[in-house]
Amino acid sequence: PVEQMRRQAARMRQILSEMLELSRLESAGPVKSDGPVDVVELLESCRQAFKGHADIATITVEATSAALLRCNKAEIETVVVNLLSNAVRYTPTDGQITLEWRSDPNGADLVVSDTGEGIDPEFIPRLTERFFRVDKGRSRDDGGIGLGLAIVKHVLARHGAELIVTSQAGEGSEFRCRFPAERIDVPAAVALS
């Protein structure tokens, strides 16, 4: 009974923490930039944080851009950790999770994709609703409370970005964070002499 009470207290602490964070994000205006952030370095740091967990899918980082993102680093790290946590939760150990950073003249994409169980397209429009869970029975057991994607949505909105989700049940998912061009700093090319 004591162990069960400890687990429930930890769960309540997590719920309160996420609700306070969501409330803060909803009442805050557009984010002021902390400066240019190396997204590839941030993705690698998040990958390393999950590396020590047993029985999780392989996580790789793919970068086709050296562009920097003008953002609040802590908030973007929250986005990556929430998306990565979901991918780990719903991808079998023999699956693959990819963290990707790419840019073009119109902006940049931070992408978390997986080869997991996927999401039925009918649920995709509701994913960022507070407390919404596709599989209500499973998510309570594995710690999900249905606030992570709502937090992601609000962080991205503060950065003028949007979340684009594509998925098919049984085929994996892709969560793409699309940032506008004004948030992107492309390092100047170094002349070879």
Side-chain angles (χ1 to χ4, degrees):
V2 172
E3 181 59 28
Q4 187 177 15
M5 288 188 316
R6 188 194 63 73
R7 282 195 309 271
Q8 290 302 320
R11 181 172 169 73
M12 292 302 283
R13 192 170 37 254
Q14 178 189 4
I15 291 170
L16 286 172
S17 173
E18 290 188 15
M19 288 181 71
L20 287 170
E21 176 67 8
L22 186 57
S23 177
R24 182 190 69 79
L25 290 167
E26 286 176 337
S27 63
V31 72
K32 304 222 180 341
S33 174
D34 284 346
V37 171
D38 184 338
V39 177
V40 178
E41 183 180 289
L42 179 65
L43 294 177
E44 183 58 33
S45 172
C46 292
R47 185 188 75 79
Q48 289 293 332
F50 279 82
K51 191 175 179 181
H53 292 102
D55 300 325
I56 65 170
T58 302
I59 303 171
T60 59
V61 174
E62 293 180 6
T64 58
S65 174
L68 304 176
L69 179 63
R70 286 194 306 275
C71 64
N72 178 299
K73 184 177 181 177
E75 288 186 7
I76 298 304
E77 184 173 14
T78 297
V79 166
V80 175
V81 168
N82 273 309
L83 295 176
L84 188 51
S85 295
N86 284 344
V88 166
R89 187 176 295 131
Y90 296 108
T91 303
T93 57
D94 62 346
Q96 177 71 38
I97 299 169
T98 305
L99 306 175
E100 185 178 359
W101 177 242
R102 60 187 185 227
S103 65
D104 59 45
N106 299 316
D109 294 321
L110 188 163
V111 182
V112 178
S113 58
D114 63 63
T115 59
E117 58 190 60
I119 305 162
D120 193 316
E122 73 177 281
F123 296 121
I124 291 175
R126 297 194 59 206
L127 288 177
T128 58
E129 291 178 13
R130 291 176 177 204
F131 302 111
F132 179 77
R133 296 180 299 218
V134 173
D135 183 352
K136 295 180 186 336
R138 177 178 174 184
S139 57
R140 180 171 182 130
D141 294 336
D142 67 13
I145 59 173
L147 289 176
L149 290 177
I151 290 171
V152 166
K153 174 183 148 185
H154 285 285
V155 167
L156 293 177
R158 284 176 35 86
H159 287 80
E162 65 177 320
L163 179 64
I164 302 160
V165 181
T166 54
S167 185
Q168 284 292 329
E171 296 180 17
S173 303
E174 178 184 277
F175 290 79
R176 180 167 56 108
C177 307
R178 181 68 179 167
F179 293 92
E182 59 268 15
R183 287 254 173 217
I184 309 304
D185 279 342
V186 180
V190 176
L192 298 175
S193 52

